[in-house]
Amino acid sequence: MMQIIRRNNQQSAFTLIELSIVVVVIALIVAGVVAGQSIVKQAKLRDVINQQQQHKVAIRTFQLQYSALPGDFSDAVAFFGATTADGDKDGIIGDSNSSSAGEELRFWQHLALSKIIVGNYTGVDAGNPNSQIGINIPKSSISNAGYILNHWTVNKMFTRVGHSVALAHELVDTNWLGAVISPIDAHSIDQKADDGFPALGTIFSDNASTGTGSCASEGRTFTGDMKTVEYDLNNTEIKCRMHFWFD
């Protein structure tokens, strides 16, 4: 009888050891998955930085070859054929901060037709919304995000005037640029490639609205001290769209 009890105790002890091993293995698997997700995420953020650097090089290369900005190029049809349209060569790609049909969309088409970037873009309004990823604008490594060319006039983007490529997507029915990235991730990109401030340097980030929101401490119509504008690093939600200036 004692032997039977001893065996049961031995069997119970062995089972506990097995369970402990299983728990340790599961913990290691979970830790590996979390670490893998972090690595993938950081790789996507690095891709955004690399893509923006490639965009800047592409724009400069186009200017050197054709003495004009892509989209604004007035001899595009002569060089690239009737599938595109000429710009007015006034030094501005488009006439406002809208990404509606026009030079803003031909911008990507001219770059692709010149073989400076890889892709096939229609150069025309895609419907609702005007800009659609993979049709007339390039896609990003960030989910549901593309690159949209904008020309900003005074007091439309933290007092900055000029051209930017936005990491965003257009919202159906409004053609408003929607948020695609969290403040934490936007700050990570900004800090690695620029100065870490959402309203200074060559990388801006703003809320997907004109007022104070959850991406930065101030909205894009703010005209005060830009050094006081900060990312909302307590927010992990998708609240930002980013703007990469090239002039």
Side-chain angles (χ1 to χ4, degrees):
M1 191 62 138
M2 293 297 294
Q3 288 181 343
I4 294 174
I5 293 173
R6 193 175 297 116
R7 282 180 190 154
N8 286 339
N9 286 340
Q10 288 175 347
Q11 288 173 352
S12 297
F14 185 72
T15 302
L16 288 173
I17 292 172
E18 286 184 321
L19 287 174
S20 299
I21 292 172
V22 169
V23 169
V24 170
V25 170
I26 291 173
L28 290 172
I29 291 173
V30 171
V33 169
V34 172
Q37 290 175 338
S38 177
I39 291 171
V40 170
K41 180 179 179 180
Q42 290 304 314
K44 288 182 177 180
L45 299 184
R46 284 195 299 271
D47 280 346
V48 171
I49 295 172
N50 292 336
Q51 287 168 338
Q52 290 306 319
Q53 291 172 343
Q54 291 165 8
H55 293 160
K56 287 184 178 182
V57 171
I59 294 164
R60 299 305 179 214
T61 302
F62 191 97
Q63 287 180 295
L64 288 172
Q65 289 186 6
Y66 301 103
S67 300
L69 287 166
D72 192 44
F73 185 29
S74 59
D75 291 321
V77 173
F79 276 86
F80 307 135
T83 58
T84 188
D86 291 334
D88 58 15
K89 204 174 182 180
D90 65 351
I92 297 174
I93 307 171
D95 300 317
S96 68
N97 67 323
S98 168
S99 55
S100 60
E103 292 183 349
E104 299 95 336
L105 296 175
R106 290 195 292 273
F107 171 82
W108 296 113
Q109 188 192 40
H110 286 182
L111 285 173
L113 289 173
S114 66
K115 308 299 183 184
I116 294 174
I117 66 170
V118 176
N120 183 20
Y121 306 107
T122 64
V124 296
D125 190 330
N128 187 13
N130 294 329
S131 299
Q132 295 186 24
I133 300 167
I135 296 176
N136 54 16
I137 62 171
K139 68 178 181 179
S140 165
S141 58
I142 303 297
S143 178
N144 196 34
Y147 292 111
I148 303 173
L149 188 284
N150 291 273
H151 176 256
W152 299 95
T153 54
V154 65
N155 293 340
K156 295 291 186 179
M157 181 53 68
F158 294 118
T159 71
R160 181 77 180 256
V161 176
H163 297 97
S164 73
V165 173
L167 175 69
H169 72 270
E170 277 200 10
L171 302 176
V172 175
D173 295 331
T174 66
N175 293 322
W176 189 258
L177 300 185
V180 294
I181 192 169
S182 70
I184 293 175
D185 290 342
H187 177 257
S188 178
I189 291 173
D190 198 335
Q191 198 168 42
K192 287 181 174 69
D194 195 28
D195 56 14
F197 290 94
L200 290 171
T202 60
I203 299 176
F204 281 24
S205 296
D206 75 322
N207 314 305
S209 65
T210 57
T212 300
S214 300
C215 175
S217 57
E218 298 290 348
R220 64 185 177 86
T221 56
F222 177 71
T223 58
D225 184 357
M226 298 305 165
K227 292 180 181 178
T228 65
V229 184
E230 298 178 339
Y231 285 96
D232 182 359
L233 298 181
N234 294 317
N235 197 330
T236 59
E237 297 181 2
I238 304 300
K239 294 294 184 180
C240 296
R241 52 195 189 171
M242 301 190 73
H243 309 271
F244 301 83
W245 299 93
F246 61 85
D247 62 5

